Amino acid sequence: MVDTQKLCKRIDESGLKKYYIASKVGLTTYGLQKKINNQTQFKANEIEELCIILKIKTLEEKEKIFFAKYVGKMETKKLQKKSKHPPTKVRVYSKQRNP
């Protein structure tokens, strides 16, 4: 799991906009936000690109941010509430066949 607080702090310290970071990683800003909030997982190449962009150089720091063993539920819920894009619900409609 991603340590959301540490990653957000690192992004803020970099001074870069999330739109710019997302485009460099090959994601939309919404896709990046979902990964930061642990709704979806980062791929290995995305982690590597983020480390280059955010100048994360040590393996220890990389592990603390991207491979956190425990991230509190309250932390994730707080961040989801702050998100401009809350999780969406998908409705599935099926076609009815005419007999």
Side-chain angles (χ1 to χ4, degrees), residues 33-87:
Q33 194 63 42
K34 285 181 74 170
K35 291 179 185 233
I36 291 171
N37 289 335
N38 288 307
Q39 294 172 340
T40 58
Q41 294 182 350
F42 280 105
K43 295 178 182 175
N45 63 325
E46 295 166 343
I47 292 172
E48 288 302 318
E49 193 63 35
L50 278 170
C51 288
I52 293 167
I53 294 166
L54 300 175
K55 298 178 182 160
I56 299 169
K57 296 181 181 178
T58 66
L59 181 60
E60 182 180 353
E61 188 176 9
K62 184 179 182 179
E63 287 177 346
K64 285 181 181 179
I65 294 172
F66 295 103
F67 303 102
K69 291 182 182 178
Y70 176 77
V71 179
K73 289 182 181 178
M74 290 304 293
E75 176 183 316
T76 305
K77 285 182 182 179
K78 285 179 190 175
L79 290 168
Q80 286 176 352
K81 286 180 182 177
K82 289 180 184 178
S83 174
K84 292 179 184 176
H85 303 286

Side-chain angles (χ1 to χ4, degrees), residues 85-99:
H85 303 286
T88 57
K89 292 183 180 178
V90 177
R91 292 187 184 188
V92 177
Y93 296 98
S94 61
K95 287 186 174 181
Q96 290 183 346
R97 290 183 163 183
N98 291 333

